[in-house]
Structure formats: C-alpha cells, structure tokens
Amino acid sequence: MEENRFKQQMRAFDHWKADIARTIQQFMHWLDSQQLGEAEISLRLYEAVETLRSDRLTIAFVAEFSRGKTELINAIFFSDYKRRLLPSDAGRTTMCPTELFYDTVEDEAYIRLLPIETRLEELSIADLKKDPSRWTTFPLDINAPDRMAETLQQVIKVKEVPRQDAERLGLYSAELSASMNGQGEPPATVEIPQWRHALISFPHPLLQQGLVVLDTPGLNALGNEPELTLSMLPNAQAVLFVLAADTGVTRSDLDMWQNHIRGCRGEARAGLVAALNKIDTLWDDIKNPAEVEATIESQRRETARSLGIEADKVFPVTAQKALLAKIRQDGDLLRRSRLLILESYLSDNIIPAKQAIVRDNMIGIAGSIFDGVRQSFLSRLKGVQSQADELRGMKDTNAEVLQHMVKKTRERQAAFNKKMEHFQSSRRVLAQQAKIIMDALSLVTFDRMMGDVRKDMEGSWSTAGLKKSMQTFFDNMRDTMQIVSRQADQTYAVAQTIYNKFYEDSNFNGTKPKMFSVKKYSEDFEKLYWEAEKFRNSPVTTMTEQSFVVKKFFISLGSHARYIVSQAHQEADNWLKDIMHPLVRYINEGKLQLEQQMETLNKVNESKEGLQEKLKELEAQTADIEAQLATLDEMDHALRMPIGEEVSQRQEPLSSVA
Ligand SMILES: Nc1nc2c(ncn2[C@@H]2O[C@H](COP(=O)(O)OP(=O)(O)OP(=O)(O)O)[C@@H](O)[C@H]2O)c(=O)[nH]1
Ligand SMILES: [Mg+2]
C-alpha cells in the first residue's frame, strides 16, 4: 500500500528543519572563523537551532463523546501497530485530555498522568508540566503491544467519590445535573475521571519528528478545563472537529462548536477542519454506490450548513473501516473509507502552513544577522578597495603630499572619536527608554497587577465578579501595550537619529535600525478577550454560577496572559539588544579602516617598495573578502530557500544534527 502522505510530508518537513539547523550551525562556525562570533549573536543562533529542534506541530481532536476521535487518531497515525492502540469504545471512553508526543529529552516511552485532585491547586497544567514529580508515570514497553495497550487504558480510568468531593473539584453541579437528568434526589456518590491530563511519550516516527496529537474527552471537558480552550486549542496548528454520520449534528455538537471551537481559530478559522465520521453506517448493500454517494454528499452539505463552514472543509470518513483496511492492507476498503482524502488535506495544508511560520521565524532571527554581517563585509571591502585606489594614485606622490595625507587621516580619526563620544551619550538615552519598555513588560509587574486583580475578586468568584475583574485586567493589558508601543516608537526615532548622524558624512548606507511592533501581542490579547467573553456568557457558566469553574478559568487566563507578556518581553529585549548592532559593527570597521590607512601611509613614507608590498596585501585582502561574501551568500541562500525547492541530499533526520 502507498505510504501515508502525511508521513511523507512530515519527514520532508523534518529534513527541511535539519537543513536549516545545519546552515545555521555552519554560519556559527564561519562567524567564529572570522572572529565575528560575538556572545550575544552566538546565543541567538544557538537558540534558533534549539527552537528548530523542539519545534512541534499539534493537531487537536475535539468532539462530543463517542464520535470517534480516538478511533480516528488510531487510524491516521497508529495503524502500523496493527491494532487499536488507544482505547476507543462505545459510550464515554477517553476521560482526560491526552497528548501524544515524543519526549526527546528523556528519550523514553511512558505515560504520565496528572491526578484529578490537582484541579484544586492554583497552578495551570502548563506549570505542572514543568514538574514531573507531580505526575504518576508508568513506563511503556513498546515491544509488548498488549501490555502497552493495557497500560494506556489509564486514560479511561474513573473513580467513584462522594458528591461533595466532586463538587469541590468542580466536576459536579446540582443545577447542571438537574438540567440534564431531571429533578430528584442528588446522588451520594459521583463518578469522576481519575486523571486530569495524560502525556504519552511514544517513539513513533511522526511523534519523533515533532508531531503532537491531542485527544480530548467529549462531554463538557472543554468547559471543565478552560486551559484547553484558552491555550491548547488556539496553539494547535489544526483542530479537527469530529461529528458522526449516525447521529448527525446534535444540539450538544452545535453547542460545543459555537461555544468553544469556532472562535478559537480567529476570524479566518485557519486550520479548522470537520470530519463527518462513521459514514459506513450509511453504506447500504441494497442501494447502488451512486445512491450511497449521494446520501453522503447531502449529509456533508447539511453538516457544513449547520456549522457555517464551506462544504470542502467537511470530510466524510469512516475511521473504523479505515483502521481495519490499513491493518488488513485492503486497498479497496481504504479507498471507500475516504480517510486518505482527509490525510492529504492535513498534509497539504497544515504542514506547509506550519513550515511557513517556522521559516519566517528563522529568517527573522538568522536573516537579520546575515544582513548585518554582510553589511560590514561590504563596507570592509569598500574600505580596502578605496585604500588600494589611493595607493595606486600615490605611486608618484612626493613627500609633501604624503605629509598632507597623514594630516588629513589624523583629522578624520579625531572627528571619528568625537562622533564616538556623541554615540556613547545617545546610547545612554536609549538605555533609559529601553528600561521603561522592559519594566512595562516585566513579569514582576505583571504578577503584581494580576495579584491586585485577584485580591479584588477574592470572595466573589461569580460571573458578575469575573466581569468586573476581566474589565480591569484587559484595560490594564491594553494600557501596557500602549505604553510599550509609544516607547518603542520613540526609541526607534532616537535610534534613527543616531544612525543618521553617522550617515551624514560617511559611506555608511543600507542598514537601518529595525522597528518593534506590539501588534501581534495586542491581537493575542484581543483574541483572549473574546475567548473570555465567550466563556463568561456561555450557558454552562451563566447557568451554574460555579465559583470553581470561574476560579479555574481565571487562573488559566492569567497563565496564558503571562505567557503572551513573556513572549513580548523576550522579543523587545532582543530588539533592544539588536537595534544598535549594525552601527556598532560599522563603527568598529570604520575605526579599523582608519588605523589601517595610517599604517599604509607610514609604510609608503618609509619606501616605495613598501607601497608595492601594501598594494599586494590589499589585493589579497580584497580577494579574501569577496570569497567570504560568496560563502555568506551561499548560506543565506540556503536559509531563504523557498519551501518545496530545497534539495536535501543528506536525508538525515533533525535528531541527528549534532
Ligand atoms: N460504525 C462505526 N463506528 C465507529 C467509527 N469510528 C468509531 N466508531 C465507534 O464509535 C465508538 C466511539 O469511538 P471513540 O473513538 O471511542 O470515540 P471518542 O470520540 O474518542 O469518544 P470519547 O473518548 O468518549 O470522547 C467506538 O465503539 C468506535 O468503535 C466508524 O467509522 N464507524
Ligand atoms: Mg476517545
């Protein structure tokens, strides 16, 4: 059977990342060989390689219970194991959000489970992930599939607890239960999931190449764990919403879609796909294939209409038959399951979109360093060439003219030093401005603000309290972004003045300081705001007034906002460190050139042979600089290679890049 297209694309993506990582490493060595490997730059490039290495592509599966999410995951990704790897069964099966990935640091197969009781704590799941001791870990023996499948059954574990405990954990509400099950005596005990979250590290090639699959439980898991909707789903490259052909689009499917899914992908709904699963229930031996086809087509259109998306974003499939077909290597059944159409869509759209983001990011980091280095090489080349020209013109110069030239060079050196003084004092102004920006974006400031908002909210964990606090919180964040934006503009203006001062009477041209924009972060906050508004107004929240859920929600909100601020802080910090870089490099070059000029003049002063000697030296230098520029261009070209055109001859995975 033809190799899964998704796998091919993921492998190509992995090789592409390896190529880029190698180019960056080659560049780092080259910088060292040219004595240009400044610590700051090396660190940034090193981080870029690390980013590539830890890059992950997440696909999340969400739906009401029993729509076939887990079966779909088994069929798309894990059919090689010739069995149903993750537990999938009738009724509620998956009890906690489950992330499948590969832990390249520990390099081990395991399932790690977070006890449900951690819901009582103030830490978010993202925080808890940093502390393995809080999780229960079971090793997975990948050579014993039966035992492994047995261990994986942990994700469906439940337990019976007194109703009060369930209430305390925010997993039971009398109002909600009554609205679903009618009035009556509240139960003494309630069944709740044993685990809150599961991490499965598994050495599957796709996962080793950076794929993360997020399986979620149906039945209000999204409402219970706000972190899913606030950060996990928005951060996934693709969200696959699963419906089932035998049930059609039910009220609860629609609620979930409208309250949690549709909005989490922004206006463009990028990466949002719907699968209409279980089309085998529409197969009918009495009908002819064209009739069956027509029924499926009409359900697809109907589904698209209910969800308000285009019909070509709805993929009719049958996960169960696809898994069976793959296990039995039955090409005809696989074709009828239509799974390959969905797989192709995922590989042709999701992977390239992700690749484009990674590429832009890498060009943003390494590309600007390339530019800066090229600039200084070009100006070095210009300096050497003009020195050589001068020398050639000096062949018949008399001592008097030479003296005059020495004098002029001394003057230029003095003028240069004066400019340096001005430069140093403007740098101090710049540093003051930078401090305002860094203070505004500091996590200490953020935590203090968050603490104040929380204090205000203490004792009123209600939707009304939430409304007020959210107002204060988002107003504060908007203010912060405004301050940063204004200061960044001013800083940029100051930097530009400093640059212009040097431009005035020199051959320094080309590189300009970069700008910094808070737009991306403001947009993130705007998205978070709408997500929060939706949560506040969602039926579950308003109906139950569960202080627990509100509190949980607020913690997730804070944790996500903190992440946005830390990202902005990081980018601003890099920007501020970089802003003067091209100029500093230019200054160093300029100084060197003037010194060399003096040295040349002195040599020529000594003897006519000195002139010839120096000229030869300059010609050799020119050739060397030109060769280095060619090397630099080659590396730059490799970095910026449009996606799809790269020729990876090495065919080694990223993990093998030392
Ligand atoms: N007929 C048919 N049954 C399917 C198909 N896909 C899944 N099922 C069955 O539907 C049931 C539910 O599948 P799961 O994969 O456990 O569903 P889920 O969405 O993960 O459900 P939860 O984990 O409870 O949220 C299982 O019994 C599957 O065998 C399909 O394509 N056709
Ligand atoms: Mg499941």
Side-chain angles (χ1 to χ4, degrees), residues 63-72 84 87-94 215-218 277-281 317-321:
E64 259 304 348
F65 72 103
S66 225
R67 298 295 183 263
K69 296 175 290 286
T70 307
E71 191 80 326
L72 208 47
R84 188 171 271 139
S88 143
D89 217 329
R92 278 182 79 181
T93 312
T94 314
D215 189 8
T216 58
N277 190 28
K278 308 197 188 182
I279 54 163
D280 56 308
T281 57
V317 291
T318 157
Q320 195 188 57
K321 296 293 181 275

Side-chain angles (χ1 to χ4, degrees), residues 209-455:
Q209 285 154 8
L211 176 72
V212 177
V213 178
L214 178 62
D215 189 8
T216 58
L219 210 72
N220 203 29
L222 298 184
N224 277 340
E225 197 66 87
E227 207 168 333
L228 273 175
T229 31
L230 280 183
S231 60
M232 292 189 205
L233 297 187
N235 288 340
Q237 262 60 60
V239 172
L240 207 77
F241 184 61
V242 187
L243 294 151
D246 59 347
T247 46
V249 183
T250 67
R251 180 74 248 155
S252 62
D253 285 322
L254 259 190
D255 277 352
M256 189 175 215
W257 170 258
Q258 277 160 355
N259 293 325
H260 297 297
I261 317 282
R262 207 176 42 176
C264 79
R265 310 303 301 174
E267 271 313 298
R269 304 211 181 120
L272 188 53
V273 182
L276 178 63
N277 190 28
K278 308 197 188 182
I279 54 163
D280 56 308
T281 57
L282 305 174
W283 292 353
D284 183 340
D285 291 341
I286 301 171
K287 284 186 186 166
N288 68 40
E291 281 172 326
V292 173
E293 186 64 24
T295 314
I296 294 175
E297 208 35 55
S298 101
Q299 266 224 31
R300 179 225 280 260
R301 275 198 303 275
E302 186 54 31
T303 306
R305 206 188 48 75
S306 307
L307 301 182
I309 57 174
E310 281 113 49
D312 62 3
K313 288 279 175 62
V314 179
F315 292 84
V317 291
T318 157
Q320 195 188 57
K321 296 293 181 275
L323 179 60
L324 185 70
K326 284 185 174 183
I327 292 174
R328 289 198 190 145
Q329 308 229 338
D330 180 342
D332 188 47
L333 186 61
L334 184 59
R335 189 186 48 72
R336 287 181 69 204
S337 79
R338 297 217 203 185
L339 190 71
L340 296 185
I341 303 175
L342 174 60
E343 284 181 7
S344 297
Y345 180 84
L346 290 178
S347 25
D348 295 345
N349 291 275
I350 308 307
I351 300 176
K354 167 77 180 177
Q355 199 169 4
I357 295 171
V358 176
R359 180 172 181 265
D360 286 352
N361 189 11
M362 287 302 131
I363 291 178
I365 300 171
S368 62
I369 300 178
F370 274 116
D371 289 345
V373 173
R374 177 179 299 107
Q375 208 59 44
S376 55
F377 266 78
L378 285 173
S379 90
R380 192 183 289 180
L381 183 66
K382 215 164 169 178
V384 172
Q385 280 170 339
S386 74
Q387 263 195 70
D389 285 347
E390 244 172 71
L391 274 187
R392 283 187 203 100
M394 263 191 263
K395 277 188 182 141
D396 309 309
T397 316
N398 60 33
E400 204 178 319
V401 177
L402 268 178
Q403 274 316 311
H404 177 70
M405 286 175 85
V406 170
K407 188 166 159 260
K408 277 197 76 176
T409 308
R410 288 230 172 86
E411 278 169 13
R412 278 170 69 193
Q413 274 181 323
F416 192 87
N417 289 339
K418 212 170 175 88
K419 260 197 216 166
M420 281 300 292
E421 278 167 30
H422 173 78
F423 173 68
Q424 295 301 4
S425 65
S426 344
R427 267 195 126 172
R428 280 192 284 278
V429 178
L430 213 58
Q432 281 158 9
Q433 249 157 351
K435 188 166 180 323
I436 302 178
I437 296 180
M438 294 327 279
D439 283 350
L441 289 175
S442 97
L443 289 178
V444 177
T445 313
F446 177 84
D447 290 343
R448 198 179 310 127
M449 185 276 290
M450 204 64 198
D452 289 347
V453 176
R454 282 202 55 152
K455 221 182 277 151

Side-chain angles (χ1 to χ4, degrees), residues 64-129:
E64 259 304 348
F65 72 103
S66 225
R67 298 295 183 263
K69 296 175 290 286
T70 307
E71 191 80 326
L72 208 47
I73 292 171
N74 281 328
I76 298 179
F77 304 108
F78 304 111
S79 61
D80 297 352
Y81 294 92
K82 306 272 177 223
R83 60 187 284 104
R84 188 171 271 139
L85 196 71
L86 295 171
S88 143
D89 217 329
R92 278 182 79 181
T93 312
T94 314
M95 295 306 289
C96 62
T98 304
E99 269 176 80
L100 289 128
F101 71 115
Y102 189 64
D103 183 339
T104 46
V105 178
E106 293 193 17
D107 201 15
E108 260 169 359
Y110 59 74
I111 177 168
R112 194 161 274 173
L113 301 137
L114 187 63
I116 193 79
E117 288 72 22
T118 56
R119 282 173 62 82
L120 294 171
E121 294 176 29
E122 307 257 309
L123 293 173
S124 65
I125 297 174
D127 290 331
L128 286 162
K129 275 186 189 168

Side-chain angles (χ1 to χ4, degrees), residues 170-182:
L171 294 171
Y172 177 85
S173 118
E175 293 93 329
L176 204 59
S177 170
S179 81
M180 292 202 315
N181 310 323

